[in-house]
Amino acid sequence: VNNFSFSEHRIMKNNDNAKRAAGVAAANLIQDGMQVGLGTGSTAFFFIEHLIQRCKEGLKIHGIASSIASHELALKGKIPLLDMESIDHLDVTVDGADEIDTHKRMIKGGGGAHVREKILACMSHEMIVVVDETKCVERLGKRPLPVEIIPFAWHATERHLNALGYRGKWRSASHGKMFLTDNGNFIYDIYFDSLLVDPETDNEKILGIPGVVDTGFFLGIAGRVIIGYADGRTQTQ
Ligand code: A5P
């Protein structure tokens, strides 16, 4: 039996207590029989970790992961996993965010997994968002907006984005190579000059460019938001 402890393999970071509190609270909402979308990132990690614990204690669920990393984590923890071809809806998806505003609009994709994350969230009866308090903002746009782009179109798409006034940087992996998503695409991170007034319009403009697979905007998708604090408290909105 692989009796692993995830936390032993990670370096504790500043917000880990807050992230863990949110992740654990979300995992405690999962009920027997649910089909659950598993998010990606350091906060979703704590959710999956606690869900594994609950499954070991007898919780009966099925999961489907939004990234190869989360799939491997869940597989290792023996959460029974589904594949996309076998499902047409999910009860709930639990996932983190890079930023979330007062209207529950989000920027996601810091880990480059936002396309699959959005697919699972939109198949779900509810997307539960788990964040530490630093992710909560009045207005979006301080963090870059990840845009997934088909490699064939990278040059044309960048020119098109720039012509519309969106400027950014291609995400690189180690060794200076282009970062590749789980879907085999590139990520262009758009940096905004000022906070966003109308993310819906920005989203439509960017999505209208051929070569763009999807943006990291999640607009009108979030259900409950569980905010974790460093002292272990959580607040649900
Ligand atoms: C993954 O691509 C992202 O959408 C993450 O869900 C988001 O970046 C939040 O990640 P953290 O919980 O690690 O901040």
Side-chain angles (χ1 to χ4, degrees):
V1 178
N2 190 355
N3 203 1
F4 58 107
S5 160
F6 296 112
S7 355
E8 280 166 22
H9 302 293
R10 300 178 74 243
I11 298 162
M12 285 291 280
K13 302 220 180 74
N14 286 342
N15 297 331
D16 271 7
N17 275 344
K19 290 179 181 186
R20 182 186 291 105
V24 167
N28 284 335
L29 295 175
I30 305 302
Q31 294 169 8
D32 271 334
M34 281 185 165
Q35 301 199 132
V36 183
L38 309 172
T40 298
S42 56
T43 319
F45 167 90
F46 288 114
F47 163 71
I48 298 171
E49 183 187 49
H50 194 64
L51 198 60
I52 290 170
Q53 187 54 41
R54 288 201 59 209
C55 288
K56 283 184 183 155
E57 290 162 9
L59 180 72
K60 297 270 179 280
I61 56 146
H62 285 89
I64 182 160
S66 56
S67 62
I68 294 169
S70 292
H71 181 87
E72 284 173 355
L73 192 62
L75 196 66
K76 213 169 163 192
K78 300 193 169 59
I79 295 179
L81 292 168
L82 299 162
D83 55 47
M84 284 296 276
E85 288 68 34
S86 65
I87 51 168
D88 48 26
H89 83 282
L90 294 168
D91 295 292
V92 65
T93 283
V94 177
D95 206 348
D98 299 329
E99 282 186 339
I100 182 161
D101 76 3
T102 47
H103 302 284
K104 298 188 179 181
R105 296 179 294 195
M106 300 183 277
I107 288 181
K108 286 179 53 56
H114 57 282
V115 171
R116 293 190 188 192
E117 291 172 341
K118 198 182 287 183
I119 291 167
L120 294 190
C122 291
M123 290 174 74
S124 300
H125 180 67
E126 183 182 15
M127 177 189 194
I128 297 179
V129 179
V130 284
V131 287
D132 65 84
E133 56 183 319
T134 65
K135 306 292 184 57
C136 302
V137 297
E138 202 70 37
R139 274 159 64 183
L140 300 176
K142 195 168 171 199
R143 299 288 304 270
L145 174 75
V147 180
E148 182 158 332
I149 291 169
I150 290 173
F152 175 79
W154 76 273
H155 186 60
T157 310
E158 182 177 22
R159 283 171 58 105
H160 210 138
L161 282 164
N162 293 168
L164 292 177
Y166 300 109
R167 303 208 163 262
K169 284 188 207 143
W170 291 101
R171 195 176 298 184
S172 55
S174 46
H175 325 300
K177 288 199 178 141
M178 283 282 217
F179 174 89
L180 278 186
T181 69
D182 288 350
N183 311 310
N185 296 317
F186 296 159
I187 298 270
Y188 191 74
D189 288 306
I190 294 176
Y191 288 82
F192 298 105
D193 295 333
S194 53
L195 297 180
L196 302 180
V197 177
D198 185 6
E200 283 79 6
T201 298
D202 290 312
N203 194 39
E204 272 174 35
K205 282 161 77 175
I206 298 165
L207 285 177
I209 302 173
V212 169
V213 179
D214 208 345
T215 74
F217 281 128
F218 281 53
L219 309 172
I221 297 177
R224 278 172 288 179
V225 179
I226 303 179
I227 305 164
Y229 297 90
D231 63 3
R233 278 181 308 120
T234 60
Q235 193 196 355
T236 303
Q237 289 181 352

